[in-house]
Amino acid sequence: MEPTKVQSEGGLNVTLTIRLLMHGKEVGSIIGKKGETVKKMREESGARINISEGNCPERIVTITGPTDTIFKAFAMIAYKFEEDIINSMSNSPATSKPPVTLRLVVPASQCGSLIGKGGSKIKEMRESTGAQVQVAGDMLPNSTERAVTISGTPEAIIQCVKQICVVMLEAYTIQGQYAIPHPDLTKLHQLAMQQTPFTPLGQTTPAFPGLDASPPASTHELTIPNDLIGCIIGRQGTKINEIRQMSGAQIKIANAMEGSSERQITITGTPANISLAQYLINARFRDVAAMWNDPSSMTTS
C-alpha cells in the first residue's frame, strides 16, 4: 500500500495507528445499530477503525490512517460521546454537563515525552487546548503501555490529540527517517512469539515467568534483519541497556557480516531471563509499529 501523503498541523506527513480503550457501553455507541455508526465513521473520515473482539469489560478501538483522517475519526467519536452525554442528561436532574472523556493507549516508553521535563509538556498541552490530560502511573495489565486520559469539550480533545500525535511523531523520528514498516514487524512479532521459551515447570506467575527461580543459565539466539536492529539498540544504546537491566539477561548483538542482511542476537540467562528479554524485544517492535504504519520508510541503524 502506498502511503497517503498529508500535510497537516505540525508538518505531519505520515500514516498513524492510534488506539483507544473503551468500556462496553462506549463501544456500543460507536458501533451503533447493525454497525451503522462505525460504518459511517469509516466512510466519512477515511480512517480504518477496528474494534477488538471478545466480551471483556474493556475493548481496544484501533484507528489507522493518514493524520487528517485520524483527526476526523477522533472528532466524530468525541462528538458522538457528547451527544450521548446530552441524551443521558435529558433523563437526569443534573444541570452541569460532564466533559467528554477518551482514553488513549500509549507505549510506556513514550509517556516521558508526553509529560516533558518536570511536567512541562503536559502542562503546555493542558493550557493551550483547555483539555485535562492525565498519564496513568501504572502500566495496563500484562502490557508495556499506559492509559492517557483526555477530558474536555470535543474541540479541546481534538486539539489535544493533535498535539499528542506531534509529540509522539517527534519521539519516533530517528536520524531523519521514519520508523519500520508494519508488515515486517508483524512477521518478526510472529517469529519472536514462536521462539519464546515455555514457562518453567512449576511456575505459577503468568506475567513474567520464573522471576523468583534460579535454574541454570542457558543461551538463546535470535536472527533479526539489519533494518530492524536500530529499534532494539536505541539511541546510543539506551534501549538495549534498558532491556538488559529489566530482564537480567546478557544480550550480545553480533557485528554486521559482509554480504548478510541479518544480525544475530545472543541472549544468555535463566529461562525466565531469556523469556523476559524476548518479551521486551518483541514489545519494543510492537511499540514502534503501533505509532507508525508507513510502508515506504525504514529505520536506519
Side-chain angles (χ1 to χ4, degrees):
M1 182 191 78
E2 283 295 313
T4 306
K5 296 299 179 185
V6 178
Q7 195 67 27
S8 186
E9 283 81 353
L12 306 185
N13 192 20
V14 290
T15 299
L16 290 176
T17 297
I18 295 180
R19 289 168 298 157
L20 292 165
L21 193 60
M22 290 190 189
H23 295 297
K25 190 175 180 181
E26 294 170 328
V27 171
S29 174
I30 294 301
I31 294 173
K33 289 182 179 178
K34 297 182 181 178
E36 289 175 1
T37 303
V38 73
K39 183 183 176 185
K40 183 181 178 185
M41 286 182 177
R42 286 172 180 142
E43 290 172 351
E44 293 189 7
S45 70
R48 294 200 300 275
I49 304 172
N50 294 316
I51 299 165
S52 65
E53 298 291 336
N55 297 317
C56 303
E58 294 181 318
R59 309 263 287 277
I60 296 288
V61 177
T62 305
I63 305 173
T64 304
T67 46
D68 65 337
T69 69
I70 292 250
F71 299 147
K72 284 178 189 173
F74 265 96
M76 294 179 79
I77 290 171
Y79 282 115
K80 181 67 176 74
F81 283 179
E82 185 181 53
E83 180 186 314
D84 293 342
I85 289 169
I86 292 168
N87 289 339
S88 68
M89 286 182 68
S90 63
N91 301 318
S92 166
T95 53
S96 60
K97 186 173 73 172
V100 174
T101 300
L102 295 179
R103 288 180 296 162
L104 275 61
V105 179
V106 175
S109 58
Q110 299 306 312
C111 287
S113 300
L114 289 182
I115 295 168
K117 191 174 181 180
S120 57
K121 178 57 71 173
I122 201 167
K123 182 183 177 187
E124 179 188 316
M125 280 193 277
R126 287 170 182 151
E127 290 175 351
S128 62
T129 66
Q132 285 297 312
V133 190
Q134 300 290 337
V135 178
D138 297 324
M139 293 189 201
L140 293 164
N142 300 318
S143 171
T144 58
E145 294 156 316
R146 297 186 192 180
V148 175
T149 304
I150 311 170
S151 299
T153 64
E155 295 80 8
I157 287 174
I158 296 158
Q159 290 305 316
C160 192
V161 167
K162 288 180 180 179
Q163 291 199 23
I164 287 173
C165 285
V166 171
V167 172
M168 304 276 283
L169 289 167
E170 287 171 351
Y172 273 111
T173 302
I174 303 171
Q175 298 179 1
Q177 296 237 359
Y178 294 123
I180 298 161
H182 199 273
D184 287 356
L185 288 178
T186 302
K187 290 175 187 172
L188 195 63
H189 171 90
Q190 292 168 349
L191 181 66
M193 292 306 289
Q194 288 168 5
Q195 293 179 334
T196 300
F198 291 108
T199 302
L201 288 173
Q203 172 61 38
T204 56
T205 306
F208 296 120
L211 287 183
D212 56 349
S214 54
S218 56
T219 298
H220 188 77
E221 292 181 344
L222 291 174
T223 303
I224 293 179
N226 287 334
D227 301 332
L228 307 177
I229 205 74
C231 269
I232 294 295
I233 296 172
R235 290 184 183 178
Q236 299 180 331
T238 52
K239 291 301 172 187
I240 192 68
N241 287 336
E242 183 179 299
I243 293 170
R244 285 178 180 128
Q245 289 172 5
M246 290 179 70
S247 68
Q250 294 179 11
I251 305 172
K252 293 182 180 179
I253 300 176
N255 293 328
M257 299 293 289
E258 190 173 343
S260 173
S261 62
E262 296 177 322
R263 301 272 283 277
Q264 196 167 50
I265 294 180
T266 304
I267 308 171
T268 304
T270 66
N273 296 145
I274 293 171
S275 182
L276 181 51
Q278 283 189 274
Y279 175 85
L280 293 169
I281 288 169
N282 191 54
R284 174 67 184 150
F285 287 127
R286 190 175 65 247
D287 287 353
V288 175
M291 277 302 297
W292 290 88
N293 186 19
D294 184 12
S296 70
S297 53
M298 294 292 290
T299 299
T300 55
S301 55

